[in-house]
Amino acid sequence: MAKTGTTTQGLRAAIERSGYYPTLVAEAVQAAVGGEAVVSYLVHQETTFDANEVRRHVTVLVLTGTRFIVSHTDEQAADATSPSPYATTSTESVKLGRISSVVLSRVVANPESYTPGQLPREVVLTIGWGAVARLDLEPAACGDPNCEADHGYTGSSTADDLSLRVSEAGDGPDSVRETLAFAQALSEATAATSSTR
């Protein structure tokens, strides 16, 4: 379930509607937002299956005039460290100027008959700000098939701080629309921030 909007009250209501530990999630998000006005937000709940357990996870993304805030809350079953089930929640606040990429991947059915404004069946929103990067390395080689020299390694580094997948089949068409709207608001905010530097 994804919900997007532009007010602090709307953000609180979306967290409440998600039904996922709303008091805990809202308190963590509000503490991170502080007194800033909410420009846009997205609340996305996921349910995953881990062996014989069903686990829930909620991600709240908030855009203010100066920051991008991401909050994750997960529930955990009782384990060796805790005799009762528990939840962990974390928030990260990133200055808009630190966001290096906003990638929106769209999956469209029947692309030959695509029309402007048609809703993708799935979107993946990936946001990078340099906190986490994936490094893919492989041995480098030259064009000589008989060469036995060590050419070192070659590879690529990919920003991979946050990736959020939303599908029409799993989350509903409104969730896809809301993710598109948040991605556009964040892209516009980061573009405006980079032009003022």
Side-chain angles (χ1 to χ4, degrees), residues 2 4 17 39 85 98 142 157 170 183-184 190:
T4 189
R17 280 191 305 273
V39 174
R98 285 198 44 219
C142 67
S157 176
Q184 181 174 349
T190 57

Side-chain angles (χ1 to χ4, degrees), residues 158-171:
T158 307
D160 200 16
D161 295 306
L162 174 75
S163 190
L164 191 69
R165 178 184 172 269
V166 179
S167 72
E168 185 178 21
D171 303 294

Side-chain angles (χ1 to χ4, degrees), residues 101-105 124-128 158-164:
S101 66
V102 178
V103 180
L104 184 67
S105 301
V124 178
L125 175 60
T126 305
I127 303 166
T158 307
D160 200 16
D161 295 306
L162 174 75
S163 190
L164 191 69

Side-chain angles (χ1 to χ4, degrees), residues 2-168:
K3 296 291 173 207
T4 189
T6 58
T7 67
T8 302
Q9 294 84 0
L11 171 59
R12 176 64 191 229
I15 291 170
E16 291 282 342
R17 280 191 305 273
S18 79
Y20 184 80
Y21 306 120
T23 305
L24 173 66
V25 173
E27 181 178 312
V29 171
Q30 184 55 49
V33 171
E36 282 194 82
V38 173
V39 174
S40 185
Y41 62 83
L42 180 68
V43 177
H44 183 258
Q45 184 178 322
E46 294 177 89
T47 301
T48 57
F49 301 93
D50 182 15
N52 295 330
E53 296 178 13
V54 176
R55 293 187 187 227
R56 296 180 301 162
H57 172 88
V58 70
T59 300
V60 179
L61 308 179
V62 180
L63 175 63
T64 72
T66 62
R67 297 178 298 145
F68 166 67
I69 297 163
V70 59
S71 173
H72 295 287
T73 303
D74 292 287
E75 62 184 358
Q76 307 293 328
D79 57 24
T81 64
S82 176
S84 60
Y86 61 98
T88 58
T89 188
S90 64
T91 57
E92 183 172 1
S93 177
V94 181
K95 289 182 181 178
L96 286 177
R98 285 198 44 219
I99 295 179
S100 56
S101 66
V102 178
V103 180
L104 184 67
S105 301
R106 302 167 189 242
V107 177
V108 177
N110 304 313
E112 69 281 356
S113 60
Y114 178 80
T115 57
Q118 180 180 332
L119 194 63
R121 73 174 192 207
E122 178 180 311
V123 293
V124 178
L125 175 60
T126 305
I127 303 166
W129 58 89
V132 178
R134 184 178 64 242
L135 192 59
D136 296 317
L137 294 176
E138 61 184 43
C142 67
D144 181 358
N146 298 319
C147 180
E148 295 181 10
D150 182 357
H151 294 285
Y153 289 87
T154 185
S156 62
S157 176
T158 307
D160 200 16
D161 295 306
L162 174 75
S163 190
L164 191 69
R165 178 184 172 269
V166 179
S167 72
E168 185 178 21

